Amino acid sequence: MLDLENGEIRIGASDMTLHFYLLSFLEKFHERFPKIKVRVSNAPTPETLEHLALGRIDFGVVSEPFEARPDMEAIKIREIQDVFVAGSKYQSLQGKVLSYSALEELPIICLEQNTSSRQYIDEFLQANNVILRPEFELATSDIIVKFAQRNLGIGCVVKDFALEAIEAGEMFELKFTEPIPKRHFCIIKSNQNPISTAAKELLKILLV
């Protein structure tokens, strides 16, 4: 009980997993255990895995793909979909069914190479004999959406980031001959590092 009154939780999460998954659960947890300190290390998936291996966090919320060490356990918690989106300048592409090779002729806006999301897209496109040469490589997906809204290129993001703009008619999703395979958010924890009582309580909420 003392741990649940004065404890601390250390979590690793990317902007994406924090915004579209973890934040609502943290709100519920804070209502139940207001005295517990929550420290969030905001970093891409590879860095979160490193923090976990070094015992700097209790667990991480990450996005596929990643290579977990044998002593780590990964639990899939939510499906996500990568898409390419565009603004009004590219209206001629709306409704068309494109091949992925068309992306080689378009200005692309995507995440930096040190992210699992960029790795996933690059590997998928390379399997389709397509190499991305982005006009812009940005640190966060919400900035990609803003760049695409301003017609600076075709944005590559997880759909959640662009959904509001798509539903408002400010952007549209490009269609291709086959969709990009879906992937997942995952909770990842180490079997080597004991976690706090407070962290165990949060995991119960996350995994209900």
Side-chain angles (χ1 to χ4, degrees), residues 61-132:
V61 184
V62 298
S63 56
E64 294 176 320
F66 56 84
E67 290 187 18
R69 292 175 15 161
D71 60 345
M72 293 179 181
E73 178 186 359
I75 305 164
K76 293 180 180 181
I77 48 176
R78 186 188 160 189
E79 207 170 54
I80 54 175
Q81 176 71 62
D82 297 273
V83 297
F84 287 87
V85 293
S88 58
K89 180 179 177 180
Y90 301 95
Q91 200 71 37
S92 62
L93 299 176
Q94 190 167 10
K96 289 186 177 180
V97 179
L98 306 171
S99 66
Y100 284 106
S101 60
L103 294 172
E104 293 185 323
E105 307 301 321
L106 294 167
I108 302 298
I109 312 165
C110 61
L111 287 171
E112 297 169 332
Q113 292 183 333
N114 67 331
T115 62
S116 59
S117 294
R118 174 65 183 278
Q119 177 188 337
Y120 185 70
I121 292 299
D122 281 349
E123 289 178 357
F124 171 74
L125 292 177
Q126 285 168 16
N128 286 271
N129 299 310
V130 175
I131 303 296
L132 280 189

Side-chain angles (χ1 to χ4, degrees), residues 4-163:
L4 293 176
E5 289 181 4
N6 302 295
E8 178 178 289
I9 302 173
R10 302 166 303 157
I11 307 169
S14 66
D15 287 334
M16 180 166 57
T17 58
L18 184 60
H19 188 72
F20 292 111
Y21 179 75
L22 190 56
L23 193 57
S24 61
F25 290 103
L26 288 177
E27 184 179 5
K28 291 177 186 176
F29 184 82
H30 183 65
E31 288 175 359
R32 289 179 59 183
F33 305 106
K35 294 184 179 180
I36 291 177
K37 294 180 181 179
V38 179
R39 301 183 187 276
V40 179
S41 299
N42 189 221
T45 291
E47 289 183 36
T48 297
L49 292 173
E50 184 179 352
H51 291 325
L52 184 62
L54 295 172
R56 294 173 180 166
I57 57 175
D58 291 304
F59 63 88
V61 184
V62 298
S63 56
E64 294 176 320
F66 56 84
E67 290 187 18
R69 292 175 15 161
D71 60 345
M72 293 179 181
E73 178 186 359
I75 305 164
K76 293 180 180 181
I77 48 176
R78 186 188 160 189
E79 207 170 54
I80 54 175
Q81 176 71 62
D82 297 273
V83 297
F84 287 87
V85 293
S88 58
K89 180 179 177 180
Y90 301 95
Q91 200 71 37
S92 62
L93 299 176
Q94 190 167 10
K96 289 186 177 180
V97 179
L98 306 171
S99 66
Y100 284 106
S101 60
L103 294 172
E104 293 185 323
E105 307 301 321
L106 294 167
I108 302 298
I109 312 165
C110 61
L111 287 171
E112 297 169 332
Q113 292 183 333
N114 67 331
T115 62
S116 59
S117 294
R118 174 65 183 278
Q119 177 188 337
Y120 185 70
I121 292 299
D122 281 349
E123 289 178 357
F124 171 74
L125 292 177
Q126 285 168 16
N128 286 271
N129 299 310
V130 175
I131 303 296
L132 280 189
R133 295 179 176 83
E135 295 277 324
F136 298 96
E137 293 180 289
L138 305 175
T140 62
S141 293
D142 55 341
I143 299 298
I144 291 175
V145 171
K146 293 184 186 301
F147 271 52
Q149 281 179 301
R150 292 180 177 271
N151 293 309
L152 292 170
I154 308 296
C156 179
V157 292
V158 167
K159 191 170 182 176
D160 298 74
F161 281 100
L163 194 57

